[in-house]
Amino acid sequence: MKTALLLISCLILLSITTVRAQDEAQSTPKSGQVLLTNDFYAGYGALGLFYWTGRMAHSSGYPSEVGSQTFTEPTSPGTFFVGYNRNLNKVVAVGFMFGLQNFTYTGKTTYGVTTDYNDLLIGGMAKITFCYLNKPNIRMYSGIGIGLTMNFGTADQPDQTITDRKLFPGGQFTLMGIRFGRALGGFVEFGMGTMGIVNAGISYKFKD
């Protein structure tokens, strides 16, 4: 959790520094982010929904579902995501995002056989965003996204490697998001879902 908070803090500081440098470099007035309809972004999310659910469910023949094992707690560095939004007007934007997160843990049977588990989660979702403050260099919004998450599971045993695929629903509710900057900016979001409770990153907006 300390690593996740450190990464988010670094992203926010980097975004603020970039925005300040951009504003200081402007010698002539430029249009604000309000008029820029396309938005590409990338960021990091911490404490997503799957972080709290523990071990992922797998098919009946998967090693974690067979026999008696003692498991370590799953660990994950967090979620890394990219996405795109398009403003339909000053209030509504639609888009999509893709996220990647990885969980690792170990299981040990009563006979001492150890299995290393890896769950690679790749998620995609469609999003709609509602903006309630839209100024030249700051934007506040809420939104919701619905999609799917594919789990690519791998179990490494001493004598074999077993794989499994499982599909889960995915989604993200953004209670409050803040984007600061003009064409190049940063953002931080608070909400809940499969991408994270706290998300932060950088964003680039441009006209058609």
Side-chain angles (χ1 to χ4, degrees):
M1 185 178 295
K2 290 182 179 179
T3 303
L5 294 175
L6 179 61
L7 283 171
I8 290 175
S9 300
C10 291
L11 281 171
I12 293 174
L13 290 174
L14 177 62
S15 300
I16 292 174
T17 303
T18 303
V19 171
R20 285 181 176 177
Q22 183 188 41
D23 290 340
E24 291 174 358
Q26 290 177 344
S27 58
T28 58
K30 294 184 178 181
S31 60
Q33 59 87 26
V34 179
L35 303 177
L36 306 177
T37 55
N38 301 286
D39 181 13
F40 281 102
Y41 60 90
Y44 171 82
L47 307 177
L49 181 62
F50 294 121
Y51 177 87
W52 306 103
T53 57
R55 292 184 294 107
M56 305 294 295
H58 286 277
S59 303
S60 58
Y62 199 67
S64 63
E65 308 296 325
V66 179
S68 176
Q69 296 185 58
T70 302
F71 297 97
T72 60
E73 287 294 323
T75 60
S76 173
T79 306
F80 299 91
F81 60 83
V82 295
Y84 168 79
N85 286 325
R86 179 175 177 84
N87 294 339
L88 301 182
N89 49 51
K90 291 185 178 182
V91 176
V92 181
V94 294
F96 55 86
M97 70 183 300
F98 297 96
L100 175 69
Q101 54 187 316
N102 191 63
F103 289 88
T104 57
Y105 59 97
T106 300
K108 188 175 183 179
T109 69
T110 54
Y111 300 101
V113 178
T114 299
T115 303
D116 294 321
Y117 295 95
N118 183 83
D119 288 320
L120 178 63
L121 307 180
I122 300 177
M125 65 182 69
K127 293 183 61 182
I128 183 168
T129 303
F130 302 94
C131 179
Y132 45 85
L133 177 65
N134 212 355
K135 299 296 184 180
N137 59 358
I138 189 170
R139 181 173 181 261
M140 297 182 67
Y141 56 91
S142 297
I144 188 169
I146 299 176
L148 296 171
T149 299
M150 175 64 77
N151 179 13
F152 296 87
T154 303
D156 289 319
Q157 296 180 327
D159 58 346
Q160 62 179 334
T161 297
I162 302 172
T163 60
D164 186 47
R165 305 289 181 266
K166 198 81 171 180
L167 193 63
F168 297 93
Q172 184 72 26
F173 171 66
T174 302
L175 179 64
M176 182 182 72
I178 303 173
R179 184 192 188 275
F180 40 90
R182 295 177 183 266
L184 181 63
F187 66 90
V188 59
E189 299 175 345
F190 304 92
M192 62 181 300
T194 53
M195 296 295 177
I197 291 179
V198 181
N199 299 337
I202 57 175
S203 162
Y204 180 71
K205 300 187 72 174
F206 58 95
K207 294 182 179 179
D208 289 333

